Amino acid sequence: MLSHYKNSLPPFRAVRSISNAFWGFTTGVFLLLLVLAGVCLIIYLIVELLTEPLMSGKEILGLIVLVLSIASAIGFFIYKVVYERSKRYITTIIDENGVHYFNRFNNTIVNELLWSQFTERLLGEQKGIYIAKFDIDCLAYNSRGGRSEGGIVTKLFWRIKVNEKEIIHSEYFTSSHLFSGIYINREDLIRAFLLGLAHYRPDLTINPWIFIANSINIKDYTFYPKSIFVNVLMVLFFVLLMLFILFLLYESSTPLEQENVLRMIHDSFAKLKSLMEF
């Protein structure tokens, strides 16, 4: 029976993630600008708050605590960005062995989840947000960010056994790196993940909503045809947002800076056109 089920499945092929360079670049630029603005604001506040107390010799202790707190927050951010960069992955690979997370900056495999490590959910009472009804389950959210059985945004989670200890692994199938979070072929990764489970772990149960939310036919693992209307609206919104931000920069800049902004707008449209053609 199991052999007949496997023979009826589409063939499994390994899938490697494709990073969205355009999205990563724009996200990185906005994030760096946001961090720079935050640092400048903190420096400004520290100078403004310290000037008068230092002149009068009052409230020095409170200001020292404030400065140390801000320094600790900045240090923690630097630690997360710099010292934990080796734990972040840029590429996700799904093959006949399992799911692999790869950091191509230092050419290392950050983590591996083998099909054999996947386990069945615990029976009985479970606490927390990861209350599973299936071995491979998901957290579904609607467009407003609330939990919903019919949500369109899904986060998958399942149990794995590592060194005889069972833990819950959650997955969006996106990069964990700051500047390349969204994969172009995310749907292909999810399809490969589900098909890999069907081939190598057919004993595990899968929440049907995972198929529905990702427009995957549960019988033959093909994608349902999608309307391009939503994609066009998303691209239009993103373009209008960029134009609005660039307009604000243009209005508050010098003639030379205005020329650079216009060049940036031209390059952005050229990049967007090439991506749409791809």
Side-chain angles (χ1 to χ4, degrees), residues 102-209:
F102 182 72
N103 187 334
R104 65 172 181 266
F105 284 155
N106 54 17
N107 198 31
T108 59
I109 295 177
V110 177
N111 192 16
E112 286 185 309
L113 305 179
L114 305 180
W115 299 121
S116 59
Q117 293 178 305
F118 287 47
T119 65
E120 297 180 356
R121 69 184 181 92
L122 291 178
L123 299 177
E125 184 179 356
Q126 298 183 57
K127 298 180 181 181
I129 62 173
Y130 296 114
I131 301 177
K133 299 178 182 178
F134 301 86
D135 297 325
I136 312 297
D137 217 323
C138 66
L139 299 174
Y141 300 89
N142 57 31
S143 59
R144 296 182 179 180
R147 289 289 298 276
S148 170
E149 290 296 329
I152 57 176
V153 181
T154 56
K155 179 181 182 180
L156 279 63
F157 66 94
W158 60 89
R159 302 188 69 84
I160 60 172
K161 182 178 290 187
V162 180
N163 297 327
E164 301 303 321
K165 181 181 179 181
E166 289 190 358
I167 61 175
I168 295 176
H169 179 85
S170 59
E171 184 62 77
Y172 274 114
F173 286 102
T174 56
S175 168
S176 69
H177 196 268
L178 291 175
F179 303 139
S180 57
I182 297 178
Y183 294 140
I184 294 177
N185 62 337
R186 178 176 180 270
E187 292 180 343
D188 294 328
L189 287 169
I190 296 176
R191 176 186 179 273
F193 175 74
L194 297 174
L195 191 54
L197 287 169
H199 274 275
Y200 306 110
R201 291 303 304 271
D203 55 310
L204 300 178
T205 59
I206 303 175
N207 189 335
W209 181 250

Side-chain angles (χ1 to χ4, degrees), residues 17-247:
S17 62
I18 302 174
S19 299
N20 191 329
F22 178 67
W23 179 271
F25 172 77
T26 53
T27 303
V29 169
F30 285 128
L31 181 61
L32 289 175
L33 290 177
L34 183 63
V35 171
L36 182 61
V39 171
C40 292
L41 178 61
I42 290 173
I43 294 175
Y44 171 78
L45 291 175
I46 291 176
V47 171
E48 287 294 315
L49 291 172
L50 282 177
T51 301
E52 184 176 348
L54 287 176
M55 297 286 292
S56 61
K58 299 178 180 179
E59 301 178 357
I60 298 298
L61 181 60
L63 289 172
I64 291 176
V65 173
L66 176 63
V67 171
L68 290 177
S69 300
I70 295 175
S72 299
I74 295 175
F76 178 75
F77 177 79
I78 294 175
Y79 168 78
K80 297 293 288 186
V81 172
V82 177
Y83 290 97
E84 287 195 355
R85 68 184 186 277
S86 61
K87 300 179 182 179
R88 301 188 180 277
Y89 56 89
I90 303 168
T91 303
T92 302
I93 304 171
I94 301 176
D95 58 19
E96 64 277 2
N97 296 316
V99 185
H100 313 274
Y101 303 97
F102 182 72
N103 187 334
R104 65 172 181 266
F105 284 155
N106 54 17
N107 198 31
T108 59
I109 295 177
V110 177
N111 192 16
E112 286 185 309
L113 305 179
L114 305 180
W115 299 121
S116 59
Q117 293 178 305
F118 287 47
T119 65
E120 297 180 356
R121 69 184 181 92
L122 291 178
L123 299 177
E125 184 179 356
Q126 298 183 57
K127 298 180 181 181
I129 62 173
Y130 296 114
I131 301 177
K133 299 178 182 178
F134 301 86
D135 297 325
I136 312 297
D137 217 323
C138 66
L139 299 174
Y141 300 89
N142 57 31
S143 59
R144 296 182 179 180
R147 289 289 298 276
S148 170
E149 290 296 329
I152 57 176
V153 181
T154 56
K155 179 181 182 180
L156 279 63
F157 66 94
W158 60 89
R159 302 188 69 84
I160 60 172
K161 182 178 290 187
V162 180
N163 297 327
E164 301 303 321
K165 181 181 179 181
E166 289 190 358
I167 61 175
I168 295 176
H169 179 85
S170 59
E171 184 62 77
Y172 274 114
F173 286 102
T174 56
S175 168
S176 69
H177 196 268
L178 291 175
F179 303 139
S180 57
I182 297 178
Y183 294 140
I184 294 177
N185 62 337
R186 178 176 180 270
E187 292 180 343
D188 294 328
L189 287 169
I190 296 176
R191 176 186 179 273
F193 175 74
L194 297 174
L195 191 54
L197 287 169
H199 274 275
Y200 306 110
R201 291 303 304 271
D203 55 310
L204 300 178
T205 59
I206 303 175
N207 189 335
W209 181 250
I210 298 175
F211 289 88
I212 298 171
N214 294 283
S215 302
I216 299 174
N217 191 318
I218 198 171
K219 295 181 179 179
D220 59 8
Y221 292 82
T222 58
F223 290 109
Y224 290 114
K226 285 186 176 181
S227 172
I228 63 171
F229 180 70
V230 176
N231 293 333
V232 171
L233 284 181
M234 290 181 63
V235 172
L236 182 61
F237 171 78
F238 182 73
V239 170
L240 291 177
L241 178 63
M242 284 194 60
L243 287 177
F244 177 72
I245 295 174
L246 291 174
F247 172 76

Side-chain angles (χ1 to χ4, degrees), residues 252-266:
S252 60
S253 57
T254 63
L256 180 60
E257 292 172 339
Q258 289 177 356
E259 183 179 349
N260 293 331
V261 171
L262 291 176
R263 187 180 298 108
M264 187 184 303
I265 294 175
H266 176 271

